[in-house]
C-alpha cells in the first residue's frame, strides 16, 4: 500500500501518453488520497505537478492549473527536494511559454 501512490503516478503517465487524460487525472486523485491516508507525502510534489500537466491538457481553468504547479513547487521546497522543485519549475515554465503563444484550441501538451 505504501508504494501504491507511485505506481498510480506511473499509471497516470501511461494513460496521459495514450490520450486518456481524464482517466489519468482520476489515477492522480486516487494516488493523492492514498498518500494522505497512509501519510506517504514524498509523492505529493510529483502528484501536484502531474495534476497540473493533466489539467492543462484538458484545457481546465488556468487558475487551477497554476495552483497545481505552485503546490508542486511549494511542496518540493518544504521537502527540500531540489530535483522535484526544478522539475516542477521547468514544467510550469513550459506551461507559461505555451500559454503565451496559445492560439486557442484543445489544451496544452506538456512533457512528463
Amino acid at each position: 500500500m505504501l508504494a501504491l501512490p507511485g505506481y498510480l503516478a506511473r499509471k497516470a503517465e501511461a494513460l496521459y501518453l495514450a490520450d486518456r487524460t481524464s482517466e489519468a487525472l482520476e489515477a492522480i486523485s486516487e494516488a493523492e488520497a492514498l498518500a494522505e491516508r497512509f501519510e506517504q507525502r514524498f509523492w505529493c510534489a510529483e502528484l501536484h505537478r502531474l495534476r497540473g500537466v493533466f489539467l492543462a491538457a484538458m484545457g481546465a481553468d488556468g487558475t487551477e492549473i497554476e495552483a497545481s504547479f505552485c503546490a508542486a513547487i511549494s511542496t518540493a521546497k518544504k521537502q527540500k527536494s531540489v530535483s522535484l522543485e526544478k522539475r516542477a519549475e521547468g514544467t510550469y515554465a513550459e506551461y507559461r511559454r505555451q500559454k503565451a503563444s496559445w492560439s486557442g484550441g484543445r489544451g496544452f501538451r506538456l512533457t512528463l
Side-chain angles (χ1 to χ4, degrees), residues 2-3 5-7 9-10 35 40-48 79:
L2 299 179
Y7 293 131
R10 300 297 74 87
Q40 296 300 311
R41 294 186 178 90
F42 55 86
W43 276 102
C44 289
E46 181 65 359
L47 295 175
H48 287 304
Q79 294 176 338

Side-chain angles (χ1 to χ4, degrees), residues 1-61:
M1 291 303 288
L2 299 179
L4 199 51
Y7 293 131
L8 287 168
R10 300 297 74 87
K11 175 184 176 182
E13 288 177 345
L15 289 166
Y16 172 74
L17 293 172
D19 288 326
R20 295 167 58 187
T21 308
S22 62
E23 292 173 70
L25 199 52
E26 290 173 17
I28 288 299
S29 295
E30 185 179 351
E32 288 173 330
L34 287 170
E36 276 300 311
R37 180 176 174 203
F38 293 104
E39 298 182 3
Q40 296 300 311
R41 294 186 178 90
F42 55 86
W43 276 102
C44 289
E46 181 65 359
L47 295 175
H48 287 304
R49 186 187 74 83
L50 289 172
R51 175 179 289 285
V53 169
F54 304 152
L55 289 171
M58 295 174 67
D61 179 58

